[in-house]
């Protein structure tokens, strides 16, 4: 019996030596390149339906949803309409300059995208204030300067209160309301809408094959997740912006 056990040990040792000779050098090479985790993560992302599939059109009652008409005043006291964004790939958000909670991070995330997409002259942003009584063009101008907003196609927009709330709640279906009891006196969704050159709202699909519709704007890429475990979607938004910018430029 002892002799038989010795043969078993010899056989197991031989298998281990063969495995090591074949696979260990390959693993060592990948570790040397610093690529084991990164390459595997990227291969999963690149092969996922959400990242590789064409962007969805958001529909309502079977019709593609388009940005509603609007005519508002920007930080330079210029009249800006939805027609000014035709031919551009852009992001829409709702915010207010005295927001003590989510708006600063939303703005910082968009400024990062602005800087990273600076080579694309057809990229834009529309920031609609939900506190137009306070957020005059002069106030919006100061806000833009403080946060480093430099893109000529990033308009911070103010105007009639009812028009802006109609645009948010009915036009984009992004919640906004004046609620005196909450911090800052206003409550709104920290979501970004992605709009293509023809004015249609677009998004990628989630892992279940459904459009995500809007992108979380309140979590930074550096943080990755928030306190409730939601993950950042600025990385996804940038990927999808580039997809529209490059595809529609024929690149």
């Amino acid at each position: 019996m002892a002799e038989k056990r010795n043969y078993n040990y010899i056989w197991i040792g031989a298998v281990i030596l063969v495995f090591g000779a074949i696979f260990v050098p390959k693993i060592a090479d990948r570790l040397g390149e610093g690529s084991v985790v990164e390459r595997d993560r990227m291969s999963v992302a690149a092969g996922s339906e959400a990242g590789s599939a064409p962007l969805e059109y958001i529909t309502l009652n079977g019709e593609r949803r388009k940005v509603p008409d609007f005519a508002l005043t920007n930080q330079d006291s210029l009249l800006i309409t939805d027609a000014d964004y035709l031919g551009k790939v852009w992001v829409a958000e709702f915010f207010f300059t005295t927001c003590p909670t989510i708006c600063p991070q939303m703005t910082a995330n968009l400024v990062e995208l602005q800087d990273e997409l600076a080579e694309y002259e057809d990229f834009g942003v529309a920031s609609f204030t939900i506190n137009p009584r306070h957020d005059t063009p002069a106030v919006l101008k100061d806000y833009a300067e403080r946060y480093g907003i430099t893109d000529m196609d990033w308009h911070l927009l103010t105007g009639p209160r009812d028009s802006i709330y109609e645009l948010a709640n009915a036009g984009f279906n992004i919640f906004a309301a004046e609620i005196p009891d909450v911090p800052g006196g206003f409550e709104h969704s920290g979501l970004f809408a992605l709009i293509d050159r023809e004015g249609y709202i677009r998004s990628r699909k989630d892992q279940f094959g459904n459009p995500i519709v809007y992108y979380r704007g309140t979590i930074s890429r550096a943080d990755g997740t928030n306190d409730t475990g939601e993950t950042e979607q600025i990385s996804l938004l940038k990927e999808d912006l580039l997809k529209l910018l490059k595809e529609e430029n024929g690149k």
Side-chain angles (χ1 to χ4, degrees), residues 123-191:
F123 167 69
V125 179
S127 297
F128 302 94
T129 177
I130 60 173
N131 186 11
R133 286 192 297 269
H134 176 271
D135 291 343
T136 63
V139 170
L140 295 174
K141 182 77 169 179
D142 178 69
Y143 185 89
E145 291 174 352
R146 282 191 288 118
Y147 279 89
I149 296 172
T150 57
D151 193 323
M152 296 296 291
D153 293 310
W154 185 340
H155 302 288
L156 286 72
L157 298 164
T158 189
R161 179 188 180 280
D162 291 346
S163 297
I164 293 172
Y165 279 81
E166 177 73 13
L167 183 66
N169 293 304
F172 280 96
N173 197 29
I174 293 179
F175 175 75
E178 186 170 358
I179 305 176
D181 294 337
V182 302
F186 297 86
E187 189 168 310
H188 63 108
S189 299
L191 300 173

Side-chain angles (χ1 to χ4, degrees), residues 6-244:
N6 288 337
Y7 280 122
N8 287 339
Y9 292 145
I10 293 170
W11 181 82
I12 292 170
V15 171
I16 293 172
L17 286 173
V18 171
F19 176 88
I22 295 173
F23 293 104
V24 168
K26 294 182 179 180
I27 295 173
D29 288 343
R30 294 181 69 194
L31 284 170
E33 295 170 357
S35 61
V36 172
V37 174
E38 184 65 15
R39 283 190 183 177
D40 290 347
R41 182 184 66 80
M42 292 301 291
S43 66
V44 171
S48 68
E49 180 183 14
S52 59
L55 297 180
E56 291 291 299
Y57 288 89
I58 307 307
T59 60
L60 179 65
N61 298 325
E63 294 186 1
R64 294 175 177 178
R65 294 196 66 177
K66 207 166 190 178
V67 173
D69 297 343
F70 63 85
L72 299 166
T73 304
N74 77 353
Q75 67 268 34
D76 295 313
S77 298
L78 299 175
L79 181 67
I80 302 297
T81 73
D82 55 293
D84 289 302
Y85 285 94
L86 292 177
K88 300 185 184 303
V89 177
W90 54 289
V91 176
E93 66 154 349
F94 292 85
F95 85 116
F96 60 108
T97 62
T98 55
C99 174
T101 54
I102 62 176
C103 296
Q105 185 59 65
M106 293 171 67
T107 301
N109 286 336
L110 287 174
V111 168
E112 282 188 6
L113 292 178
Q114 164 199 262
D115 295 342
E116 293 169 12
L117 300 175
E119 66 180 284
Y120 295 95
E121 295 181 358
D122 44 359
F123 167 69
V125 179
S127 297
F128 302 94
T129 177
I130 60 173
N131 186 11
R133 286 192 297 269
H134 176 271
D135 291 343
T136 63
V139 170
L140 295 174
K141 182 77 169 179
D142 178 69
Y143 185 89
E145 291 174 352
R146 282 191 288 118
Y147 279 89
I149 296 172
T150 57
D151 193 323
M152 296 296 291
D153 293 310
W154 185 340
H155 302 288
L156 286 72
L157 298 164
T158 189
R161 179 188 180 280
D162 291 346
S163 297
I164 293 172
Y165 279 81
E166 177 73 13
L167 183 66
N169 293 304
F172 280 96
N173 197 29
I174 293 179
F175 175 75
E178 186 170 358
I179 305 176
D181 294 337
V182 302
F186 297 86
E187 189 168 310
H188 63 108
S189 299
L191 300 173
F192 294 151
L194 172 60
I195 299 105
D196 68 17
R197 285 189 171 84
E198 296 180 333
Y200 290 105
I201 302 172
R202 307 284 293 274
S203 84
R204 65 170 55 200
K205 293 179 181 179
D206 62 18
Q207 66 268 35
F208 305 107
N210 301 311
I212 66 172
V213 185
Y214 299 119
Y215 299 75
R216 296 188 196 104
T218 59
I219 310 170
S220 72
R221 284 176 288 183
D223 289 337
T225 60
N226 63 11
D227 294 338
T228 61
E230 292 178 316
T231 58
E232 63 88 13
Q233 293 186 331
I234 304 304
S235 299
L236 305 184
L237 178 57
K238 181 181 177 181
E239 288 178 9
D240 294 344
L241 279 163
L242 285 169
K243 184 177 292 186
L244 289 178

